[in-house]
Amino acid sequence: MYERTVDELIHLIDSSKKYSCDIPRGYECAKLLLTTIEEGGHITLDMDSDVDGLFSTLIVRDTLDFLGYKNYTIVRLHEKRHGIDGNTVDTVLSNNSKLLVITDSSSDKIGYINELCNTKKDLRIMLIDHHVPNKVERHPNILEINSHTTKTGYKDMSCGLLTYLVLKPLIEKLSMRLSKELESLAYATVISDSVNVNSDELVSFLSVAKYKNRGDIHPLLTTMMSDAQVSGLSRENI
């Protein structure tokens, strides 16, 4: 979790609205997603078990839903964890997935992901993360977008914001209304990675945001407080 003051958070949200979407290899993510859909391949979605990871997956899931594509499975989280595990592998293999989308985790588990790619040779991996990546060589089937390896200004992003910016060109072509809804989730993750959800810090942030007449911040916090409780969103709610 990043340590930021309320003013720093508001500044980050404001400045992030100006970020361009020309993230290196970002366009490849949308292309890979659309190609998998066109071919009718099964997609597995996996994530970190915190608000950032869950909302990042919601952004991907809602994009798939808007496209009318239902051939996907969200990995069920039975406990808090960071990084894919045996449950992920079982979900991929049992569904004969062609694409595994991982958000907000596993940049430090590339060796494990490489083994999965070697086991299932027709599997592609889309890994979107903001944690510091390890230096293990990547399997050719891994398409990785990491805020620490993009251009200056991205390394402090939440994964939710990074995921939204990666898919934003596609999302905006689909629906501006959808884009605005998912943008709210993205900005909520900026807050959740800086403020302890379900604590006095969040209440304090809400109070300051109201004091500063920031009406755009309030719905973000309302989203977090209603959908992201102590254990995060349950798989049933997703």
Side-chain angles (χ1 to χ4, degrees):
M1 181 176 292
Y2 296 101
E3 295 293 333
R4 297 190 179 105
T5 66
V6 172
D7 284 335
E8 287 173 338
L9 270 171
I10 292 178
H11 174 72
L12 178 59
I13 291 173
D14 285 342
S15 61
S16 67
K17 293 179 180 181
K18 303 173 185 177
Y19 286 137
S20 62
C21 301
D22 55 340
I23 298 174
R25 304 196 74 189
Y27 74 95
E28 295 181 42
C29 287
K31 182 179 179 180
L32 178 56
L33 202 63
L34 293 175
T35 298
T36 305
I37 291 173
E38 184 178 344
E39 295 174 349
H42 182 271
I43 300 172
T44 292
L45 307 180
D46 195 288
M47 77 302 289
D48 191 15
S49 57
D50 63 5
V51 176
D52 193 14
L54 293 166
F55 278 20
S56 297
T57 295
L58 282 176
I59 290 171
V60 180
R61 187 211 67 174
D62 286 0
T63 301
L64 292 174
D65 284 351
F66 195 88
L67 287 165
Y69 198 70
K70 297 297 184 180
N71 191 18
Y72 66 81
T73 300
I74 299 175
V75 175
R76 290 181 176 272
L77 303 183
H78 301 292
E79 59 185 4
K80 288 186 70 65
R81 47 85 148 161
H82 180 74
I84 67 170
D85 55 20
N87 193 30
T88 309
V89 175
D90 290 343
T91 303
V92 167
L93 297 181
S94 63
N95 289 282
N96 191 26
S97 298
K98 303 302 181 184
L99 175 63
L100 168 60
V101 181
I102 307 170
T103 56
D104 196 32
S105 79
S106 301
S107 289
D108 60 344
K109 291 196 173 184
I110 298 301
Y112 192 41
I113 298 175
N114 285 344
E115 290 180 15
L116 177 57
C117 290
N118 288 328
T119 299
K120 194 174 191 311
K121 300 186 184 303
D122 62 345
L123 178 68
R124 295 294 305 275
I125 309 287
M126 183 190 302
L127 172 57
I128 304 176
D129 197 7
H130 70 145
H131 296 94
V132 178
N134 65 21
K135 297 181 180 179
V136 175
E137 184 176 355
R138 270 59 174 161
H139 189 283
N141 283 6
I142 299 175
L143 172 57
E144 182 178 12
I145 306 294
N146 190 292
S147 59
H148 289 273
T149 57
T150 58
K151 55 189 176 182
T152 302
Y154 284 81
K155 69 181 182 67
D156 291 331
M157 282 188 182
S158 62
C159 186
L161 181 54
L162 183 63
T163 302
Y164 172 72
L165 290 178
V166 166
L167 295 178
K168 184 177 179 181
L170 170 62
I171 295 169
E172 288 190 336
K173 287 182 180 179
L174 297 175
S175 166
M176 289 304 296
R177 179 186 62 79
L178 176 66
S179 180
K180 284 297 182 183
E181 290 176 358
L182 300 187
E183 183 181 56
S184 290
L185 290 180
Y187 293 143
T189 64
V190 175
I191 300 170
S192 73
D193 258 17
S194 306
V195 177
N196 188 16
V197 180
N198 304 300
S199 74
D200 292 339
E201 292 179 72
L202 188 56
V203 176
S204 174
F205 186 88
L206 175 59
S207 300
V208 174
K210 281 185 174 181
Y211 175 74
K212 293 179 177 290
N213 295 316
R214 290 302 303 268
D216 57 327
I217 301 294
H218 184 268
L220 305 185
L221 294 171
T222 301
T223 298
M224 291 171 60
M225 296 176 79
S226 61
D227 290 341
Q229 297 305 315
V230 177
S231 60
L233 296 172
S234 70
R235 301 280 57 74
E236 289 74 21
N237 287 337
I238 287 188

